[in-house]
Amino acid sequence: MVDVERLREIAREVISRDDVRQLIGYRQGTYGFRARPAFITSPEEVDQLIFSPACVNNLATYLTLEEKLPVPRGQEPDLRKVAVMVKGCDSRALVQQMEEKAYERERIVVLGIPCTGVVDMDKVEKRFPDVLSRGEITLEGDKFVLSFDGQREEVPKEELLADKCKRCRYPTPLVYDQLLDEAVERFADDDYSDVLELEKRSAEEKWAYWEEKFSRCIRCYSCRNVCPMCYCEDCVLDRLNPQWMRRSVDISENTAYHIARAYHLAGRCIQCGECQRVCPVEIPLMELNRKFYKDVEELYDYEPGTDAEAPPLLATFKVDDREDFIL
Amino acid sequence: MAVKKLNKDKEKEALQELTKFRLIAPAKSDEVVIFKQITDPGEAFLEYGNSTVPPKKVVFPQTETLFRFQRGNPELREKNVEEEGTTVIFGLRPCDARAMSIVDRLFSWDYEDPYYLKRRELTTLVGLACVEPPSINCFCTSLGGSPFGTEGLDMLLADMGDHYLVRALTEKGEKLQETLSAHLEDAPAEEEKKAEEMAARAEGKIARSINTEGIPEKLPTLWEHELWKKVSAACLGCGICTYLCPTCHCFDIQDEVEEMGEGRRARMWDSCMFSEYTLHASGHNPRPTRRERTRNRISHKYSYYPKRFEVIACVGCGRCINLCPVNIDILEILEQVVDAS
Ligand code: SF4
Ligand code: SF4
Ligand code: SF4
Ligand code: SF4
Ligand code: SF4
C-alpha cells in the first residue's frame, strides 16, 4: 500500500510547482474510520494527506464539479493545473472525461495510486458500531486491520471489501503522471453474475423489484452530483423551461429519472460505484449501470474509460456493429 | 393521567386498534427504515435506531397538491387536508418531534399555512424514547433536547424490555390513551424512577456536543470569512443534508399541466444546497457557489431562525453528518465558527 511519507513528499513537490494551483487528495474524517476529500493549496497543508482503504471517494468528480465564477474585470483567470489522486477505478473517470474532451490532459496532474481495494464503509460501521474517535484502516496481507481507541482488530479482507473491488479489472491507474507505488497485478475479474441473475427474471418480476426501490427514492440527486460522468452544465433534470422532468416525487417521475440517468451513462459509466455508495436510501443503482455496462461490452466490445484516445461510444459507428436487438 | 404500561405481547393489538386512524409507523424497506402508513401491525418496525428519512414528510409531504385547475373552468378545486383524516405517528424519536414544534413557528408566522397547520392539528405524535442514542452523531442535548425529551410529543413510550412505559403528555395524548385503554395496564410506581435512571444513562451516552452560546450572534460577523470556502470545498451540492433534516422546510411551488388542459399547482421540497435554488430569472444567482450555499444552510439554522423565532433550527439528530457522502460535519463547522476570529 502507498507509503504515506512518500505520498506527502511527492505531494509537496507537486503543490510547490508554479503551474499547480490545487491538489485534491484524502484526509482523515471527523469521526470513526471515515476519510474525506482534502483540498491542498500550499506545502504546509501536505501533512494532512493520507491514503488508506478508507479513502473511498472518487475525487475525479471534483475536476468537473468546480464552479466557474465570472472573472472580475482586470483580473486574469487562474489557469494553473489541478493535481488529483486517483485509484484504478477513479482513473477511468479521468480517461472517460478526457475522451469526451471535458478538459485537456495538460490541465491536470495525476497522482496514481495502485490500489489493493477499499472498504465498504457500511460493512465497517455495522461491524464496529459507535466508534467515535478517529480510527484507522490498513491492509496487511489478506486482512484489514482496524485500529481505534488503542484497540487493534483484524478482519479478513473479503468481509469488508467493497463489492466493486471484488470485480475490479483495473486496480492500477490507467492514466498518471506519477505512480505512488509499484503497479499491482489485477486480482479480480467481472463475471457479471449479479447482472445475469437479474436478467433471468421476467419483466413483471423486474418491475416489481424496481418499483419497490424507486418508490424509496427521495430525489436528492446525490447519485447524479457525485457521479464523475454527470457533469453537463445544463442538466436535463434542472431544466425548468421546458421542464423535461418533474420535481414531484412519485413512482412515475422517479422511474423516469432513473431510466434517463442510466441511459445517459450507457457507454460512459466507469463502475466507480459512487452513485450507489452515496444513496441515503440504499437504492442498488449499480445493478442498473452494470446491466448497461455489460450490454455495451457485449454489443460493441467497448469498455468506457479505458482508452483516452478512443472516441466516445455514442460518437462512433462500425459497419459490422450488431443490430439484432433493433426492432 | 396515570402512567401506564403496554406489554409487548399486546403491542400488535394496540397497533391494530390504531389502524382505525391513518397510522404512520417506522417500517423497513430492505434495510432502510422509513415512516409510512401501515395497515398491518406486522409492518411496523420498532427495533430501530432512527429513520433515514425523518417523519416530517407526514406533515410536510415531499410533493403536495395545493389545488387542481382545468382549462376553460375558472373554479379551482382546492385540496382538503381533512380528508386525510386523523393521523397517528407512532414511534418517532424525541428529536424529530421537537423538530416539528420548531418548524410549526415558521408555518404559523406571517402567513398561516392551512395545509401544514391542519395536518398538525389532525396528528397525534407518539414518541419512542431513546434508551440508546441511535447514532454516534446524536447531539440533541446540545440543543435543549434529550433522549427522553417530550417537547412536541403527545405521548411518550419508553422501552423497558418486556413492556413499554406509556405517558400521555397532552390532551391529544390522553385521548389516545383512552382509545388504547383496553390494551394498557397500570404501571407499578417504581417504573417511573427506573425510566428516569434510563433517561440519565442515555443522556450520558451522547458522545458529541457543541456549546451553542454566542453562535447565532457570531455567524453574521463571519460573512466573508475564509472558513466557508474551506468547509464547503468538498461539498457536492447534493440535497442529502437538507432533505433528511427534520427541521429543513424550504419548498418550491410549480405548476404541472397534464393532458387535456388539466393540471395542478404543487409544492415540493427544495434545498438551499441545489445550484438552481434562488436562481433569478435574469440568470443571476445570489448564492453562486457551494461556499454561499453552505453558509446559508448553517446561518439559516443557527442564526436567522433563532433571530426570528428564538430557537435554533437544528435538533442534533445527526442525520446530516451520518449521511453526507463527503463527511461534511455540522459540528466541525460550528466548532470552526466558535474558533474563528
Ligand atoms: S475498484 Fe479497483 S481500483 Fe477501485 S477501489 Fe476497488 S480495487 Fe481499487
Ligand atoms: S441518491 Fe438515492 S435517493 Fe437520492 S436521487 Fe439518487 S437514488 Fe434517489
Ligand atoms: S454512474 Fe455511478 S458507477 Fe457509473 S460513473 Fe457514475 S457514480 Fe460511478
Ligand atoms: S450532504 Fe454533504 S455533500 Fe451533500 S449538499 Fe450536504 S454538505 Fe454537501
Ligand atoms: S442540521 Fe443536521 S443534526 Fe441538525 S436537525 Fe438537521 S439533520 Fe439533524
Side-chain angles (χ1 to χ4, degrees):
Chain A
M1 210 168 57
V2 175
D3 174 55
V4 174
E5 283 318 313
R6 184 169 148 74
L7 157 67
R8 291 177 183 166
E9 192 185 307
I10 293 172
R12 195 170 288 117
E13 276 165 30
V14 171
I15 198 62
S16 303
R17 277 163 53 175
D18 288 338
D19 62 339
V20 174
R21 157 167 72 92
Q22 168 168 256
L23 185 149
I24 309 171
Y26 301 94
R27 61 180 171 139
Q28 276 260 320
T30 56
Y31 67 96
F33 300 102
R34 299 213 173 194
R36 55 177 165 165
F39 298 82
I40 305 291
T41 51
S42 72
E44 295 79 62
E45 295 167 314
V46 158
D47 288 336
Q48 296 175 9
L49 290 173
I50 59 163
F51 185 75
S52 79
C55 298
V56 292
N57 306 64
N58 181 352
L59 303 178
T61 297
Y62 292 107
L63 296 177
T64 51
L65 195 71
E66 206 169 19
E67 290 130 330
K68 293 191 193 72
L69 293 175
V71 182
R73 202 174 316 197
Q75 279 181 28
E76 291 294 316
D78 190 345
L79 296 174
R80 289 175 300 158
K81 300 177 193 204
V82 172
V84 63
M85 278 167 62
V86 288
K87 306 182 287 289
C89 54
D90 307 342
S91 80
R92 295 181 58 193
L94 302 186
V95 171
Q96 187 65 25
Q97 287 168 346
M98 288 187 280
E99 208 176 278
E100 295 173 7
K101 310 237 179 308
Y103 47 78
E104 299 294 322
R105 174 73 181 85
E106 297 75 50
R107 226 202 80 193
I108 56 171
V109 179
V110 187
L111 303 180
I113 305 165
C115 178
T116 42
V118 297
V119 293
D120 178 331
M121 208 44 86
D122 289 341
K123 293 182 193 168
V124 172
E125 285 175 0
K126 212 170 208 160
R127 184 98 171 215
F128 302 99
D130 302 340
V131 179
L132 181 64
S133 59
R134 295 175 185 189
E136 267 182 37
I137 305 179
T138 53
L139 183 69
E140 289 178 19
D142 57 358
K143 290 199 174 71
F144 284 122
V145 178
L146 295 94
S147 343
F148 57 102
D149 299 328
Q151 257 168 284
R152 185 190 143 95
E153 298 274 352
E154 292 185 0
V155 184
K157 186 175 176 185
E158 196 63 16
E159 290 174 26
L160 299 180
L161 195 64
D163 289 345
K164 65 170 178 176
C165 304
K166 292 184 182 167
R167 47 181 184 243
C168 174
R169 287 174 175 169
Y170 305 95
T172 299
L174 294 169
V175 57
Y176 54 82
D177 293 299
Q178 223 166 336
L179 212 51
L180 296 174
D181 201 353
E182 302 279 302
V184 291
E185 291 286 322
R186 174 191 293 194
F187 52 83
D189 198 7
D190 195 348
D191 62 3
Y192 297 113
S193 47
D194 53 334
V195 187
L196 291 167
E197 264 323 295
L198 212 66
E199 283 174 351
K200 271 192 231 149
R201 300 185 201 170
S202 70
E204 290 75 27
E205 285 168 330
K206 282 181 199 156
W207 175 238
Y209 178 80
W210 286 109
E211 190 181 20
E212 196 204 343
K213 315 286 178 214
F214 290 162
S215 36
R216 278 212 298 267
C217 174
I218 57 166
R219 299 271 291 284
C220 61
Y221 300 131
S222 307
C223 47
R224 171 194 64 171
N225 286 25
V226 79
C227 176
M229 301 319 302
C230 270
Y231 62 88
C232 293
E233 270 180 39
D234 190 3
C235 172
V236 66
L237 300 168
D238 295 336
R239 266 284 171 111
L240 287 172
N241 191 14
Q243 188 171 43
W244 297 102
M245 199 80 65
R246 284 180 179 161
R247 284 297 156 79
S248 35
V249 175
D250 56 39
I251 185 63
S252 152
E253 295 301 312
N254 289 4
T255 305
Y257 166 54
H258 286 291
I259 291 178
R261 212 181 88 85
Y263 269 98
H264 285 193
L265 268 309
R268 306 178 57 242
C269 164
I270 49 77
Q271 303 278 295
C272 65
E274 283 288 87
C275 47
Q276 180 163 331
R277 177 183 73 83
V278 305
C279 177
V281 292
E282 294 174 26
I283 298 176
L285 295 164
M286 284 307 279
E287 290 177 10
L288 272 187
N289 297 330
R290 285 173 51 67
K291 165 66 180 150
F292 282 69
Y293 190 88
K294 173 171 168 281
D295 284 354
V296 163
E297 187 176 19
E298 282 172 4
L299 295 168
Y300 304 108
D301 196 20
Y302 184 93
E303 262 202 291
T306 52
D307 178 3
E309 301 304 315
L313 177 71
L314 292 181
T316 61
F317 176 80
K318 280 196 247 146
V319 276
D320 56 353
D321 272 347
R322 269 173 63 189
E323 290 177 349
D324 52 355
F325 57 94
I326 297 172
L327 293 176
Chain B
M1 210 175 227
V3 178
K4 298 278 178 183
K5 69 179 210 173
L6 170 66
N7 279 324
K8 283 202 180 159
D9 55 12
K10 296 248 179 73
E11 181 186 311
K12 290 243 156 71
E13 284 171 33
L15 282 170
Q16 187 66 49
E17 184 85 52
L18 295 179
T19 55
K20 67 181 179 204
F21 309 120
R22 186 166 76 118
L23 176 61
I24 312 278
K28 253 183 154 178
S29 176
D30 295 330
E31 290 304 305
V32 187
V33 178
I34 291 175
F35 277 85
K36 66 169 206 176
Q37 182 168 5
I38 61 163
T39 45
D40 164 12
E43 279 179 273
F45 179 69
L46 296 176
E47 308 288 312
Y48 78 119
N50 204 357
S51 61
T52 302
V53 187
K56 77 170 175 188
K57 66 171 187 163
V58 180
V59 287
F60 173 44
Q62 183 160 8
T63 310
E64 161 159 52
T65 306
L66 300 177
F67 54 77
R68 299 190 62 82
F69 49 81
Q70 197 173 27
R71 191 164 57 202
N73 180 355
E75 254 174 66
L76 299 177
R77 271 172 296 149
E78 278 188 53
K79 174 170 166 163
N80 188 351
V81 174
E82 254 164 73
E83 280 164 19
E84 287 171 10
T86 309
T87 301
V88 175
I89 306 184
F90 191 90
L92 77 166
R93 294 297 180 190
C95 56
D96 288 343
R98 187 161 176 263
M100 283 190 207
S101 72
I102 291 174
V103 176
D104 287 351
R105 304 180 199 209
L106 183 275
F107 283 109
S108 49
W109 170 47
D110 57 344
Y111 176 75
E112 303 228 324
D113 188 280
Y115 306 93
Y116 178 90
L117 294 177
K118 188 78 215 166
R119 224 180 255 112
R120 283 289 276 135
E121 191 188 313
L122 291 169
T123 306
T124 303
L125 301 182
V126 181
L128 191 60
C130 302
V131 175
E132 282 288 331
S135 104
I136 193 74
N137 292 314
C138 290
F139 60 106
C140 58
T141 41
S142 298
L143 292 147
S146 79
F148 278 59
T150 55
E151 189 182 341
L153 284 170
D154 299 301
M155 183 182 259
L156 181 67
L157 265 51
D159 189 337
M160 310 293 285
D162 61 347
H163 66 277
Y164 295 102
L165 196 65
V166 180
R167 197 144 47 96
L169 302 158
T170 62
E171 243 171 75
K172 275 189 202 169
E174 284 176 10
K175 258 174 88 183
L176 199 75
Q177 186 164 317
E178 269 162 43
T179 310
L180 290 172
S181 55
H183 316 281
L184 301 175
E185 293 167 30
D186 284 333
E190 69 274 12
E191 286 276 275
E192 265 196 277
K193 193 154 177 293
K194 217 169 121 195
E196 266 168 40
E197 282 164 21
M198 283 168 86
R201 210 162 349 151
E203 225 166 274
K205 282 191 200 158
I206 300 247
R208 300 194 69 178
S209 64
I210 183 85
N211 180 357
T212 59
E213 216 188 297
I215 292 179
E217 298 74 30
K218 187 160 182 194
L219 274 167
T221 69
L222 302 174
W223 193 248
E224 291 294 346
H225 200 281
E226 58 166 9
L227 81 88
W228 297 116
K229 190 156 175 59
K230 283 213 166 114
V231 299
S232 66
C235 178
L236 301 165
C238 73
I240 291 181
C241 54
T242 54
Y243 275 15
L244 297 185
C245 173
T247 65
C248 273
H249 51 262
C250 282
F251 58 82
D252 188 15
I253 294 181
Q254 298 191 0
D255 284 351
E256 293 183 349
V257 180
E258 292 152 17
E259 275 169 73
M260 315 302 289
E262 271 224 18
R264 67 165 175 173
R265 178 155 297 174
R267 75 168 163 203
M268 44 214 84
W269 290 358
D270 202 352
S271 167
C272 61
M273 303 310 282
F274 288 166
S275 54
E276 76 280 19
Y277 179 87
T278 62
L279 176 65
H280 296 182
S282 66
H284 171 71
N285 192 333
R287 300 189 187 89
T289 73
R290 292 180 290 274
R291 166 183 169 266
E292 292 84 17
R293 287 179 214 129
T294 305
R295 181 176 65 194
N296 183 69
R297 176 163 76 92
I298 306 298
S299 299
H300 188 190
K301 293 182 173 303
Y302 277 83
S303 174
Y304 316 151
Y305 209 89
K307 191 163 179 217
R308 177 142 355 249
F309 300 115
E310 274 142 27
V311 62
I312 290 173
C314 166
V315 292
C317 72
R319 283 186 181 90
C320 58
I321 313 175
N322 295 337
L323 289 146
C324 172
V326 295
N327 185 221
I328 288 177
D329 185 326
I330 191 168
L331 282 170
E332 193 204 35
I333 298 180
L334 293 169
E335 276 159 21
Q336 293 199 30
V337 166
V338 171
D339 292 343
S341 53

